[in-house]
C-alpha cells in the first residue's frame, strides 16, 4: 500500500471507522498479503483437508475411531501452529505499516518466516487461548457434576443426549457464568494487538500497563468484536454450507446402512469433499484476517486516546 492510500492507524477512529479502515487496508494490499503468506495459508488448507478426510474415514469405519481421534488431534495441533505463522506474517506487515506507512517489504518472497514475530504471536495467542479455555473447562466440570450431558454409544455411532430441559436452573446458571467469564476476557483483544505490534514490550508488562485503559474502552472493544464475529459467522456459514450438505448426505447414508436400506450416494462425493475442504480451509483462514486488521485500527484508536490523556 503506497503512502497515497495510507490511513494513519493512531487516530481517533469511531467503531464504523475502525471496521472501514481495517477492510480498506486489507483489500488495498490483497496482492501483497496473499503472496507474503501464501505458504502458511496453503499448508493450513491442506491440513484442513486432511482433517476432513480423517473425520470422514472415522464415520465410514467406526472401528478405527481411536486412531482417527489421535490423527485428528495431531492435525489440529499442526493446524494451530501453521495458523499462528499465518498471523505472524500479517503482524509483521502491520508493524511495517505502523512505522513506515507502507506494507511493501524490500524482499517479498513466497516463503517467508520471521522467528521473532512468530514467537511473539505464538505467546500472545497461546495466552489468550488458555484464558478462554478456563471458562469452558469450568463449564464442562459443572456439566459433568450436574450430569447435564449423557454420552453413550448405540453400538456403531456415538450419540450425545442432552438433559438441559431436565435441569433448567442448573443449565441456565452454568451458561450464564460461562458467558460472564468470557465477557471478562474482552479487553485482551486490545492488549494482544499491542503486544504483537510493539516488540519491545514483555507480555506481562503489556497486560499490567494496559489493563486499565483497555477496561475503560470496553464498550468500543466489545462492539468491534461483535461486528467482526457477525461478519465471520456469515462468511463461515456460506463457506461451510457445501461441506455441511455432504456431511448430512454421508450421515444419512450410514444411517441407511445400519437399517439395511442405504440411500443413493453419488461416487463423486468421495473426491468432491476433500476438494471443497481444501478451498474452504483457505478461504476460512483468509477471512479471519478481519479480526487482525480491524484490531489494528482499534489498537491505533485506543493509543490515540492514551496520547490525548497524557497531553
Amino acid at each position: 500500500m503506497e503512502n497515497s492510500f495510507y490511513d494513519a492507524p493512531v487516530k481517533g477512529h469511531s467503531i464504523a471507522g475502525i471496521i472501514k479502515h481495517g477492510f480498506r487496508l486489507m483489500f488495498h494490499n490483497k496482492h501483497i498479503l496473499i503472496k507474503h503468506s501464501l505458504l502458511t495459508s496453503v499448508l493450513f488448507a491442506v491440513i484442513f483437508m486432511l482433517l476432513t478426510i480423517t473425520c470422514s474415514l472415522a464415520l465410514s469405519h467406526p472401528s478405527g475411531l481411536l486412531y482417527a481421534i489421535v490423527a485428528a488431534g495431531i492435525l489440529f495441533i499442526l493446524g494451530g501452529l501453521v495458523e499462528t505463522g499465518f498471523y505472524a506474517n500479517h503482524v509483521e506487515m502491520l508493524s511495517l505499516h505502523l512505522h513506515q506507512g507502507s506494507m511493501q517489504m524490500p524482499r517479498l518472497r513466497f516463503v517467508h518466516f520471521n522467528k521473532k514475530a512468530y514467537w511473539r504471536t505464538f505467546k500472545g495467542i497461546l495466552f489468550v487461548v488458555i484464558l478462554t479455555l478456563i471458562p469452558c473447562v469450568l463449564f464442562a466440570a459443572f456439566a459433568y457434576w450436574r450430569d447435564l450431558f449423557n454420552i453413550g454409544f448405540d453400538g456403531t455411532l456415538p450419540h450425545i443426549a442432552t438433559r438441559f430441559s431436565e435441569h433448567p436452573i442448573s443449565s441456565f446458571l452454568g451458561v450464564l457464568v460461562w458467558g460472564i467469564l468470557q465477557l471478562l476476557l474482552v479487553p485482551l483483544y486490545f492488549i494482544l494487538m499491542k503486544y504483537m505490534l510493539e516488540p519491545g514490550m514483555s507480555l506481562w508488562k503489556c497486560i499490567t500497563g494496559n489493563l486499565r485503559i483497555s477496561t475503560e474502552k470496553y464498550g468500543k472493544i466489545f462492539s468491534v468484536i461483535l461486528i467482526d464475529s457477525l461478519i465471520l459467522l456469515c462468511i463461515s456459514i456460506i463457506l461451510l454450507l457445501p461441506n455441511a450438505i455432504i456431511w448430512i448426505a454421508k450421515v444419512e447414508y450410514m444411517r441407511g446402512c445400519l437399517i439395511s436400506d442405504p440411500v443413493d450416494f453419488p461416487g463423486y462425493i468421495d473426491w468432491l469433499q476433500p476438494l471443497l475442504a481444501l478451498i474452504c480451509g483457505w478461504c476460512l483462514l483468509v477471512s479471519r484476517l478481519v479480526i487482525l486488521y480491524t484490531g489494528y485500527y482499534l489498537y491505533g484508536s485506543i493509543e490515540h486516546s492514551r496520547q490525548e490523556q497524557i497531553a
Side-chain angles (χ1 to χ4, degrees):
M1 187 173 188
E2 302 300 331
N3 289 332
S4 58
F5 291 105
Y6 175 58
D7 295 309
V10 184
K11 195 175 179 181
H13 296 293
S14 63
I15 295 173
I18 289 171
I19 303 298
K20 182 186 72 175
H21 287 296
F23 273 90
R24 180 181 177 183
L25 183 65
M26 190 167 58
F27 284 114
H28 271 296
N29 294 277
K30 55 184 179 297
H31 59 291
I32 298 176
L33 303 179
I34 291 175
K35 182 178 180 181
H36 187 62
S37 57
L38 183 64
L39 177 63
T40 49
S41 60
V42 171
L43 279 176
F44 180 86
V46 171
I47 292 172
F48 188 81
M49 179 186 67
L50 294 176
L51 183 61
T52 301
I53 294 173
T54 301
C55 296
S56 181
L57 290 174
L59 181 64
S60 304
H61 304 85
S63 58
L65 182 61
L66 179 60
Y67 298 102
I69 292 175
V70 173
I74 295 173
L75 289 171
F76 186 81
I77 294 173
L78 288 176
L81 294 175
V82 173
E83 185 176 359
T84 301
F86 175 80
Y87 295 141
N89 286 339
H90 288 270
V91 167
E92 184 182 11
M93 300 293 285
L94 289 174
S95 182
L96 280 174
H97 186 265
L98 178 64
H99 297 99
Q100 300 178 11
S102 172
M103 302 186 78
Q104 181 67 55
M105 295 186 68
R107 290 184 179 182
L108 190 60
R109 302 181 296 271
F110 287 99
V111 180
H112 180 82
F113 181 75
N114 186 317
K115 186 168 65 174
K116 290 184 179 179
Y118 183 90
W119 179 236
R120 289 186 69 82
T121 306
F122 176 79
K123 286 194 297 182
I125 292 177
L126 181 63
F127 175 75
V128 173
V129 168
I130 291 174
L131 289 184
T132 305
L133 286 177
I134 290 175
C136 298
V137 172
L138 292 176
F139 177 74
F142 176 78
Y144 178 79
W145 173 55
R146 296 297 298 173
D147 198 23
L148 299 181
F149 298 98
N150 181 24
I151 304 176
F153 293 85
D154 61 3
T156 307
L157 297 175
H159 69 275
I160 301 177
T162 60
R163 294 208 294 268
F164 274 34
S165 58
E166 299 177 7
H167 305 277
I169 297 178
S170 298
S171 303
F172 174 76
L173 290 176
V175 173
L176 179 64
V177 172
W178 174 82
I180 292 173
L181 291 176
Q182 292 287 356
L183 289 174
L184 291 176
L185 302 177
V186 166
L188 290 177
Y189 186 29
F190 164 72
I191 293 173
L192 177 62
M193 289 302 305
K194 184 175 179 64
Y195 172 71
M196 293 190 298
L197 291 169
E198 299 182 9
M201 185 179 298
S202 67
L203 180 58
W204 180 248
K205 184 179 179 181
C206 186
I207 295 171
T208 56
N210 296 279
L211 188 59
R212 182 185 62 82
I213 190 169
S214 186
T215 305
E216 290 175 355
K217 299 295 181 179
Y218 186 96
K220 195 170 196 176
I221 299 173
F222 177 79
S223 299
V224 173
I225 291 176
L226 180 61
I227 295 172
D228 287 347
S229 300
L230 292 174
I231 293 172
L232 288 178
L233 178 62
C234 295
I235 294 174
S236 299
I237 290 174
I238 295 172
L239 290 175
L240 293 176
L241 184 59
N243 262 327
I245 294 173
I246 293 178
W247 277 112
I248 293 172
K250 285 198 168 186
V251 170
E252 290 299 319
Y253 175 76
M254 292 297 299
R255 185 174 299 173
C257 291
L258 290 175
I259 61 176
S260 301
D261 185 24
V263 296
D264 292 333
F265 191 68
Y268 61 81
I269 294 294
D270 290 331
W271 61 263
L272 180 61
Q273 187 180 30
L275 179 61
L276 284 175
L278 183 68
I279 298 172
C280 289
W282 189 87
C283 293
L284 284 172
L285 180 64
V286 173
S287 67
R288 292 174 191 168
L289 288 178
V290 171
I291 298 176
L292 194 62
Y293 280 79
T294 54
Y296 174 58
Y297 280 95
L298 175 67
Y299 154 82
S301 178
I302 296 178
E303 281 297 301
H304 182 265
S305 299
R306 186 206 300 274
Q307 293 174 7
E308 287 186 334
Q309 290 178 4
I310 295 175

